[in-house]
Amino acid sequence: MMLLVDAGNTRVKWALVQPGAAPGQWIASGGVEHADLDQLPERWRDHAVSAVLVSNVAGAALRARLLPLLPGARTAWFAARAEMAGMRNGYRNPGQLGCDRFAAALGARTLEPGKAIIVATCGTATTIDAVSAQGDFLGGMILPGLGLMASSLARNTAQLPQVLAGGPLPSGFADNTDDAILSGILSAQAGAIERAFARHRADLCLISGGAACYIAPVLEVAHRMVDNVVLIGLQTAAASDFASDLTG
C-alpha cells in the first residue's frame, strides 16, 4: 500500500491507495493543519505502508518536521520533471515548477484526458495553470488566495473589516462594506480563472483546494470541482516511471 502526502502551506493532506486503484479510489484519506502534524502517525498506524510519495511546497522546515512522522517505508519526494506520465512540462526551467502545480496538472489530465484544461487550485495561494489537449503543460498564474486577499485588506486599511467567504453574494453592486469586500475578492479570483479559460480556449476548468467551494459558484465557465487533485496527480505519478524512485 502507498501513502500519498500533499504538504501545502497551511494543511497536510494524505491518502492511502492500493496499486492499480482508480484515480481517487483511496482506502483512507484526510488532512491536518500544520499545528496538528503529530496526529498523523495515529491515522496511518493500522495500515501496512510499503512506500511514501510526498509533494512538499512548505519548505525545508516542514519537511524536517514531517520526515520522522512518516511510516518506515521507502520515501520519494515529488518534483516536476520535463515529462511524466505522458505530460510534457513547458516551463522554461522544468525543475522550477512547483511540485504541487505539476501534480495538480497530472491529476487534471488523468481525470479529463484529451481536453484543453485550466487547473485552478485555490488555497493559501491560487494557482491557475493550462494543460493542452495534447498533454502539454503550458504554464500559468499565481495570485494571493482568497483568505490572503481578505486579510490584506483588513490589515492594510484603517476602516475595512476582516471578511470571510461563505455568505450569500449580492445580486448586483454591493450596498454594504462587507458584501463589497466579499464580492470584490471573489470576483478577482473568478475573473483570473475566466481570463485564463478564455485565453486557453479551454474545454473545462478543474477547480480544487480549500477555497474552491466559495469560488466555483461564481464562475461563469464550464467547471468541475475535484477534491485533492494534487493527490490524484501523485497517484498518477506513482503508477508511471516515477515509481522507480520508490522501488529502485
Side-chain angles (χ1 to χ4, degrees), residues 4-100:
L4 308 173
V5 180
D6 170 21
N9 290 303
T10 303
R11 287 173 57 80
V12 173
K13 285 80 68 179
W14 58 272
L16 289 159
V17 60
Q18 292 282 18
Q25 185 180 19
W26 300 323
I27 293 170
S29 63
V32 298
E33 304 290 330
H34 286 188
D36 298 321
L37 286 184
D38 289 344
Q39 297 177 8
L40 290 174
E42 180 64 23
R43 311 281 177 91
W44 305 327
R45 182 172 58 85
D46 296 330
H47 301 277
V49 176
S50 59
V52 183
L53 180 56
V54 186
S55 165
N56 172 35
V57 297
L62 185 67
R63 174 172 172 152
R65 289 180 59 199
L66 190 58
L67 189 57
L69 304 177
L70 297 174
R74 187 171 180 85
T75 298
W77 297 84
F78 185 73
R81 293 181 175 178
E83 184 171 357
M84 186 182 296
M87 189 176 77
R88 295 164 295 280
N89 185 347
Y91 234 48
R92 184 181 304 172
N93 177 357
Q96 187 185 42
L97 176 62
C99 56
D100 58 336

Side-chain angles (χ1 to χ4, degrees), residues 33-236:
E33 304 290 330
H34 286 188
D36 298 321
L37 286 184
D38 289 344
Q39 297 177 8
L40 290 174
E42 180 64 23
R43 311 281 177 91
W44 305 327
R45 182 172 58 85
D46 296 330
H47 301 277
V49 176
S50 59
V52 183
L53 180 56
V54 186
S55 165
N56 172 35
V57 297
L62 185 67
R63 174 172 172 152
R65 289 180 59 199
L66 190 58
L67 189 57
L69 304 177
L70 297 174
R74 187 171 180 85
T75 298
W77 297 84
F78 185 73
R81 293 181 175 178
E83 184 171 357
M84 186 182 296
M87 189 176 77
R88 295 164 295 280
N89 185 347
Y91 234 48
R92 184 181 304 172
N93 177 357
Q96 187 185 42
L97 176 62
C99 56
D100 58 336
R101 292 172 63 195
F102 193 58
L106 278 175
R109 186 167 184 268
T110 296
L111 295 172
E112 298 288 349
K115 292 184 179 180
I117 307 168
I118 290 295
V119 190
T121 55
C122 307
T124 304
T126 294
T127 62
I128 306 168
D129 294 310
V131 181
S132 75
Q134 294 74 36
D136 296 305
F137 179 92
L138 303 177
M141 315 172 186
I142 304 173
L143 60 152
L146 196 62
L148 283 178
M149 283 188 171
S151 296
S152 178
L153 279 172
R155 185 173 59 251
N156 294 303
T157 56
Q159 301 294 324
L160 296 183
Q162 174 74 61
V163 173
L164 297 177
L169 278 176
S171 58
F173 292 109
D175 60 5
N176 64 85
T177 300
D178 283 4
D179 279 354
I181 295 171
L182 182 57
S183 179
I185 60 179
L186 283 171
S187 294
Q189 298 280 319
I193 294 169
E194 290 165 1
R195 183 180 178 88
F197 192 99
R199 180 168 188 149
H200 187 37
R201 298 181 182 177
D203 299 310
L204 184 67
C205 171
L206 268 66
I207 181 167
S208 188
C213 60
Y214 304 120
I215 299 167
V218 303
L219 285 176
E220 296 182 355
V221 295
H223 62 276
R224 171 185 174 186
M225 283 188 62
V226 178
D227 290 334
N228 296 318
V229 71
V230 170
L231 292 176
I232 293 173
L234 293 180
Q235 186 179 355
T236 299

